[in-house]
Amino acid sequence: MKIFKDNLRLLKLFIICSTGIISYKTFASTTDKVNNLFFERENKHLNKEIIDKKNNGEIYKNYNKKIAGINWSKVKKQDYKKNIYWEAANKEDYLLIENNFKKIIKDEVYQFNSLNRSIVFNNNNVGPDISWLVPPGLSWSKSHKFDASVRGHNRRNENDHFFGWNNGDAVGQFYYKFLNRKNSNLVLNLGMRSVYQGKTNQSNIGEGLSSGFRWDYQLSNDSGIAFGAEQLIHFDGLTDTGRDIYFSASKVFGIEDKQNPFPLFVVTGGVGTGKLAEGAIKGLCSDLFGGAGRNISVKERLCWAPIFSIAMVPNQKFSTFLEYNSHSFILGSSLSLSPSKKLPMRGTFAIKLADEDNYKINNFSEMTWIFRASLGF
């Protein structure tokens, strides 16, 4: 009887131990399956991978926080990249994208600057000229320190061809942005009276050197003022291109649709002296700074006259403008030919509609043309 009781106790102990082992294995197997399910679910939404360079770029992720202890899983990078999961978008997703897009467009800022006589978009893209002689009031571009240009005009007698050069004339101008501040710039300029020697032109190349300055201030993203002078200081007595002191202000109009802001209209107005005051409408004359500097042999008084230009810019490459520079009314077009943003090239061609004598509209036999070619760097 005693032996039978002892054997019964051993049998119960064996059954208990076997049941525990089986339960443990079953539990462990279930845990692995659950962990694998968690891994597969999380794998769909992985945003960041922990890449161990010492293990050939394999991705490790710890899924220890799900069930029963620490469990590591390993997925090869190439296998993971093959898994692309698509999810259908709903109406709320489209509305979210549309609202974010509208917010970006609404918050987008357009800023307008200048480089010599050209308009610049967001201190980056140099566009066409918006005037020929009248200096814009928009602040100087922060993207370029130098600009060089040649401006000139043809001459024409009664029997001369309209497109002929006819012993015309041209001068050179060079600009250097000397000082740059957040909202203002100081630009120095150098003028050269003669850039070529024609048949009737007695001046040699390089003669008639002069210098000046320009200070401008940005009032807003689409307006500014400028005060300066070109050919202010004459280094020899051979400069007759005018002591052009000026004050100008510019404003850009027409920015209603920020997705497509064109066409733009740029209005510039101000007062000037020298070549900017050759017409019949002028005043406040004096002998300041040695006179107007428009004639080598005769000293003329320095007078002030109103100036303005109105430009239409249909895109970042082209413009048309009407300018009154006291000497004449001109109608011109300009094209930005920039091979790159670092070397913006611009060309301008215009005709004189009326001269300073009586501002009567010229007929075709009296019309002459003018040009400006510029290169920034």
Side-chain angles (χ1 to χ4, degrees):
M1 190 68 178
K2 183 179 180 181
I3 295 174
F4 175 77
K5 290 182 179 181
D6 292 338
N7 291 333
L8 183 60
R9 289 174 183 173
L10 290 174
L11 180 60
K12 289 181 180 181
L13 181 60
F14 174 79
I15 293 172
I16 292 172
C17 293
S18 299
T19 303
I21 293 172
I22 293 171
S23 300
Y24 174 80
K25 289 184 176 182
T26 302
F27 178 79
S29 176
T30 304
T31 301
D32 290 339
K33 290 181 180 180
V34 173
N35 282 339
N36 289 335
L37 289 174
F38 276 116
F39 171 77
E40 290 175 0
R41 190 187 69 179
E42 293 295 317
N43 188 35
K44 293 181 182 180
H45 305 285
L46 273 175
N47 293 322
K48 296 181 181 179
E49 299 86 6
I50 304 172
I51 299 176
D52 187 356
K53 295 182 179 180
K54 296 182 180 180
N55 291 277
N56 300 319
E58 293 177 337
I59 305 172
Y60 295 85
K61 193 163 182 70
N62 185 3
Y63 292 90
N64 61 317
K65 55 186 178 181
K66 306 303 178 184
I67 293 179
I70 299 176
N71 294 279
W72 294 91
S73 297
K74 180 172 67 175
V75 177
K76 290 185 179 180
K77 187 176 181 179
Q78 57 183 9
D79 293 338
Y80 171 71
K81 284 196 170 183
K82 291 180 181 178
N83 296 330
I84 300 176
Y85 297 94
W86 296 92
E87 185 174 321
N90 53 36
K91 185 177 180 180
E92 294 181 357
D93 295 328
Y94 287 114
L95 290 175
L96 181 62
I97 294 172
E98 183 179 358
N99 291 335
N100 287 338
F101 179 74
K102 288 181 178 179
K103 186 177 185 300
I104 291 172
I105 295 298
K106 183 179 179 180
D107 295 340
E108 187 172 355
V109 176
Y110 283 94
Q111 184 174 332
F112 301 96
N113 310 92
S114 66
L115 182 67
N116 198 345
R117 266 63 177 178
S118 303
I119 186 171
V120 181
F121 304 94
N122 291 327
N123 273 311
N124 188 17
N125 297 325
V126 180
D129 289 348
I130 52 177
S131 62
W132 180 69
L133 189 60
V134 174
L138 299 174
S139 64
W140 196 270
S141 170
K142 298 185 184 302
S143 59
H144 293 84
K145 286 189 174 183
F146 297 92
D147 192 71
S149 68
V150 177
R151 80 169 194 263
H153 60 87
N154 77 332
R155 291 190 173 97
R156 192 180 186 190
N157 295 321
E158 185 177 353
N159 297 322
D160 291 329
H161 194 275
F162 171 73
F163 290 103
W165 180 241
N166 307 322
N167 295 314
D169 198 10
V171 299
Q173 293 176 303
F174 307 91
Y175 300 86
Y176 167 62
K177 184 174 63 176
F178 177 74
L179 191 62
N180 172 241
R181 291 290 181 265
K182 182 179 180 181
N183 294 319
S184 62
N185 302 280
L186 177 62
V187 181
L188 305 180
N189 61 70
L190 177 69
M192 184 182 296
R193 165 65 183 85
S194 181
V195 294
Y196 87 107
Q197 189 169 0
K199 294 180 180 179
T200 60
N201 190 358
Q202 301 299 320
S203 60
N204 297 319
I205 296 176
E207 289 182 349
L209 292 178
S210 60
S211 67
F213 73 96
R214 168 192 169 92
W215 175 86
D216 56 51
Y217 186 81
Q218 179 179 329
L219 297 176
S220 66
N221 289 329
D222 55 12
S223 63
I225 57 174
F227 169 71
E230 295 177 347
Q231 300 87 230
L232 177 64
I233 301 174
H234 297 181
F235 297 119
D236 53 34
L238 301 175
T239 300
D240 62 356
T241 49
R243 192 170 271 112
D244 298 350
I245 307 170
Y246 63 87
F247 175 83
S248 63
S250 295
K251 170 72 174 177
V252 181
F253 296 92
I255 315 169
E256 296 179 358
D257 184 0
K258 290 192 175 182
Q259 296 185 48
N260 183 21
F262 299 100
L264 301 172
F265 296 89
V266 187
V267 177
T268 299
V271 292
T273 68
K275 285 290 185 181
L276 297 171
E278 286 189 311
I281 304 174
K282 56 187 176 183
L284 302 176
C285 300
S286 67
D287 294 324
L288 189 67
F289 300 116
R294 295 186 292 115
N295 198 309
I296 296 176
S297 57
V298 179
K299 184 177 180 180
E300 300 174 326
R301 303 193 77 190
L302 186 77
C303 300
W304 293 83
I307 54 176
F308 72 84
S309 70
I310 302 173
M312 183 186 73
V313 187
N315 53 57
Q316 292 192 13
K317 296 294 184 180
F318 182 74
S319 70
T320 59
F321 60 86
L322 174 68
E323 174 181 297
Y324 170 69
N325 53 35
S326 177
H327 176 275
S328 57
F329 283 95
I330 66 172
L331 179 65
S333 295
S334 180
L335 184 64
S336 176
L337 306 170
S338 306
S340 69
K341 291 182 179 181
K342 293 183 179 180
L343 293 172
M345 184 186 304
R346 296 92 69 205
T348 297
F349 182 85
I351 58 174
K352 289 186 178 182
L353 299 177
D355 293 318
E356 74 277 9
D357 297 332
N358 52 20
Y359 299 121
K360 179 183 177 180
I361 300 297
N362 295 328
N363 57 44
F364 183 75
S365 62
E366 298 170 328
M367 284 185 178
T368 58
W369 53 265
I370 57 180
F371 77 96
R372 181 186 285 271
S374 306
L375 179 66
F377 51 97

